[in-house]
């Protein structure tokens, strides 16, 4: 079964304590991405990766890091979380936008992060 | 990617058809029209896409205006499980460089009454 898994699903942490949200996919997709979703602002892209060892900034990358050492994994790292990073985070995987349509992206179940 | 405009919310009754409109008056000739939906407490999921012709799949139908400046997602027989936020998204396969991500607007919140 095609799956995108995220861990943890819920996390409450304190300001400044480094954390990692993991994302894994079993569809052999080259493209992976992280979004955050906030009320009134919708979904915004944080970082994306076109392939292993290739990552780039999305619309709201400040305060985040990513790595892509393996095709299936794309962890999101918050080195020093702050309260304004409290949000719902989604990992997504799919075909590159340069590939023929559809641009069908598969989203994970989400990680709700609260930074106090 | 060109901008889309959708109603904030719509309400329908269970087991009736639902027509969700999307305006995209600045669409380019190479923009594909995609629809995604987000069920409560879940990530978005792909529904359907099209370029010029109307399209059908197991989830929905997509009707595209002849001038492509608007489209309509049709749920033929809505169920309570179709209650979600529906996003209409344009994507141009030529737009390289950029995020390759999907630009989600606010979408239409579809409410289904039993």
């Amino acid at each position: 079964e095609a799956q995108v898994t995220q861990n943890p699903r819920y996390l409450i942490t304190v300001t400044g304590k480094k954390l990692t949200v993991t994302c894994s996919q079993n569809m052999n997709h080259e493209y992976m991405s992280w979004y955050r979703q906030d009320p009134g602002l919708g979904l915004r892209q944080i970082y994306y990766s076109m392939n292993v060892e290739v990552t780039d900034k999305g619309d709201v990358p400040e305060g985040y890091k990513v790595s892509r050492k393996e095709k299936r994994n794309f962890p999101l790292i918050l080195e020093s979380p702050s309260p304004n990073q409290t949000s719902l985070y989604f990992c997504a995987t799919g075909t590159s936008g340069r590939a023929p349509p559809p641009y069908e992206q598969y989203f994970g179940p989400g990680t709700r992060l609260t930074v106090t | 990617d060109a901008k889309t405009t959708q109603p904030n919310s719509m309400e329908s009754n269970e087991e009736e058809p639902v027509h969700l409109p999307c305006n995209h008056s600045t669409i380019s000739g190479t923009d594909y029209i995609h629809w995604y939906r987000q069920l409560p407490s879940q990530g978005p999921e792909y529904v359907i896409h099209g370029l010029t012709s109307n399209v059908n799949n197991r989830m929905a139908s997509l009707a595209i205006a002849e001038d492509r400046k608007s489209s309509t997602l049709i749920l033929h027989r809505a169920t309570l499980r179709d209650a979600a936020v529906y996003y209409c998204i344009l994507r141009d396969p030529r737009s390289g460089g950029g995020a390759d991500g999907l630009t989600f607007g606010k979408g239409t919140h579809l409410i289904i009454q039993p």
Side-chain angles (χ1 to χ4, degrees), chain B:
Chain B
D1 296 319
K3 186 178 162 61
T4 62
T5 304
Q6 299 176 252
N8 288 335
S9 65
M10 288 184 65
E11 205 166 306
S12 182
N13 295 319
E14 199 177 8
E15 299 191 5
E16 289 186 359
V18 179
H19 292 233
L20 295 160
C22 181
N23 285 319
H24 28 78
S25 58
T26 59
I27 190 171
S28 75
T30 50
D31 278 331
Y32 280 75
I33 303 160
H34 287 71
W35 283 82
Y36 276 71
R37 72 178 186 180
Q38 187 172 15
L39 302 170
S41 303
Q42 294 189 29
E45 63 175 345
Y46 166 84
V47 177
I48 200 166
H49 82 285
L51 181 62
T52 55
S53 305
N54 294 344
V55 184
N56 300 300
N57 68 19
R58 64 174 179 81
M59 288 181 74
S61 295
L62 176 60
I64 301 173
E66 200 168 326
D67 64 5
R68 300 206 333 122
K69 292 185 187 301
S70 66
S71 60
T72 302
L73 179 71
I74 302 165
L75 307 179
H76 294 285
R77 201 159 162 262
T79 70
L80 295 176
R81 289 180 300 174
D82 292 318
V85 178
Y86 287 79
Y87 299 96
C88 170
I89 300 167
L90 304 184
R91 192 69 174 88
D92 183 347
R94 299 175 309 162
S95 58
D100 269 5
L102 298 169
T103 301
F104 288 83
K106 291 189 166 48
T108 297
H109 184 200
L110 176 63
I111 299 163
I112 304 294
Q113 298 288 358

Side-chain angles (χ1 to χ4, degrees), chain A residues 44-87:
Chain A
R44 295 177 293 167
Q45 192 178 53
I46 303 170
Y47 267 95
Y48 66 99
S49 170
M50 301 288 284
N51 211 331
V52 175
E53 301 293 359
V54 180
T55 63
D56 212 339
K57 296 176 182 178
D59 299 318
V60 289
E62 293 77 22
Y64 304 94
K65 283 175 57 177
V66 292
S67 70
R68 188 88 182 275
K69 294 184 169 50
E70 309 166 274
K71 199 171 189 180
R72 63 181 290 126
N73 295 323
F74 189 45
L76 179 70
I77 303 156
L78 284 71
E79 295 267 3
S80 183
S82 63
N84 65 11
Q85 293 178 296
T86 292
S87 187

